[in-house]
Amino acid sequence: MSAQSSAPRLPVGAGGSHQAARASRKDEHLDLALRLHGQDRPNAFDDVAFMHHALAATAATQVDPSATVCGAQWAEPFYINAMTGGTRNTMRINSELAGAAAEAGVAVACGSQHIALDDPERAESFRIIRRRAPRAFILANVGPTMDPAQAVRAVEMLEANALQIHLNAAQELVMPEGDRDLRDWAQRIDAIVKAVPVPVVVKEVGFGISARTMASLSRLGASAVDVAGTGGTDFIAIENERRPDHSYSYLTGWGQSTVLCLLESLCAEPAARRPGGDSARGTERPVGQTDEHGAQLEVLASGGVRHPLDVVRALALGARAVGVSGHFLRTLSRSGPEGLRHELALWSEQVRTLMTLLGAADIAALRRTDLLVTGRTAEQARLLGVD
Ligand code: FNR
């Protein structure tokens, strides 16, 4: 699969030329994500190693990798994260992602729905996800600039189980036609959280969420954050490529890695809630922040997840579940829908195998495994005081 710029477009409604530009941006993002990030690269997950204990004490048949996210039980602790929708080409991709998700029993998110909120004729490219995955946990997706009524419509469009709000400041600022006024995002998130009938997951798009931002989001009533850190898809590189002057090349790599975000969120957890105190060794590592009502902000991880070992590393660092965009997009592009279905089944099997190797019967046990964090990530963690 590739984003064919010659692909026929869905009918264009009111505000045609603006919508057409938005639609072609959707196809360009896919095309550039595949072209610039053609393969998995080394990243901060490589700084995380498990201590191997030769007397592992569990059986593969005993392993339960299910995850509890936003009050729902997920059979698999990984999911297909937000990517696309709005054009005929992206409708096919959403259909194929959703079909594979339904078969594998994994949750799936759609890309930003702004294009369909402005032009209802484009909604079918998102609705296809619910049609192909009638029983899946589906996450709708908007940015913080949507008003509460639009966010409610986004959820209804997909009969979604949760709503993602994407924070993409770096992308907007490098995007030639992006927003330049980012002032009132927090108030808008607050209003959306109060209006929608489902849990809200606030996510980055590949630059990471700091503990300070997490604390704000907790106060705003978000149910979960997806730290979506560096190491995989880089929207500064993608938007820079769309600029005629390519003048932001130096900014590539901006942000925090997914691993560093998880380490920081571990230490943001009040010590009293950490069994065994501060040590991240041999004790369960709960992650997240507690709002004023005592509710725990759930932490999901995405950004640069390449294989089942990265999934297990992120879970051991406290993520409730692990999102994947770039790797699954490349799998679909290279191997088609059948290849993606095979990949999801392989990940499902291998997450269980790795948990068996680690002697972890469930995700809570994974958090008690012994981790070694080295290299640049260890140095950054030390500077943040979270080592
Ligand atoms: C994305 N991502 C994204 N996120 C979001 O919240 N809304 C969106 O519309 C999109 N669009 C989008 C398009 C494409 C082509 C890609 C590859 C990604 C970001 C995505 O959900 C994720 O946060 C990042 O891609 C980091 O994960 P990976 O790609 O490193 O696994």
Side-chain angles (χ1 to χ4, degrees), residues 36-191:
L36 298 181
H37 308 313
Q39 56 193 28
D40 294 330
R41 290 163 292 152
N43 66 30
F45 278 109
D46 300 321
D47 288 337
V48 180
F50 287 99
M51 278 297 290
H52 172 66
H53 296 302
L55 274 176
T58 196
T61 51
Q62 303 283 297
V63 168
D64 172 14
S66 65
T68 306
V69 180
C70 292
Q73 188 85 357
W74 291 7
E76 302 295 338
F78 58 89
Y79 60 103
I80 302 177
N81 214 349
M83 278 186 269
T84 201
T87 68
R88 198 174 294 280
N89 186 38
T90 60
M91 177 155 125
R92 178 174 54 77
I93 292 165
N94 275 345
S95 169
E96 291 169 354
L97 293 172
E103 190 174 304
V106 307
V108 56
C110 68
S112 171
Q113 292 166 263
H114 297 191
I115 190 168
L117 292 168
D118 286 350
D119 177 1
E121 289 183 71
R122 294 182 184 273
E124 191 49 29
S125 65
F126 295 93
R127 282 203 194 99
I128 187 85
I129 297 177
R130 178 51 83 198
R131 283 206 280 112
R132 293 295 311 277
R135 282 180 293 283
F137 191 101
I138 294 180
L139 299 105
N141 188 290
V142 296
T145 56
M146 289 297 99
D147 65 42
Q150 288 172 308
V152 169
R153 280 204 288 130
V155 171
E156 288 168 354
M157 197 185 291
L158 285 160
E159 298 164 60
N161 306 85
L163 173 70
Q164 291 181 326
I165 302 178
H166 60 259
L167 304 182
N168 64 338
Q171 179 188 10
E172 291 293 344
L173 293 170
V174 176
M175 188 191 300
E177 69 279 30
D179 282 347
R180 295 290 180 266
D181 184 351
L182 317 177
R183 271 176 303 183
D184 54 357
W185 284 11
Q187 296 92 296
R188 285 170 172 272
I189 290 170
D190 187 39

Side-chain angles (χ1 to χ4, degrees), residues 26 28-34 37 41 81-85 109-113 141-142 164-168 171 203-207 226-235 238 258 302-306 323-330:
K26 298 281 168 185
E28 280 173 45
H29 281 164
L30 280 172
D31 190 25
L32 287 167
L34 289 168
H37 308 313
R41 290 163 292 152
N81 214 349
M83 278 186 269
T84 201
C110 68
S112 171
Q113 292 166 263
N141 188 290
V142 296
Q164 291 181 326
I165 302 178
H166 60 259
L167 304 182
N168 64 338
Q171 179 188 10
K203 72 185 286 289
E204 243 289 348
V205 299
F207 303 103
D226 167 0
V227 299
T230 62
T233 304
D234 182 342
F235 267 97
I238 289 174
T258 304
S302 75
V305 175
R306 304 159 295 182
V324 183
S325 292
H327 178 87
F328 289 156
L329 178 66
R330 287 190 288 278

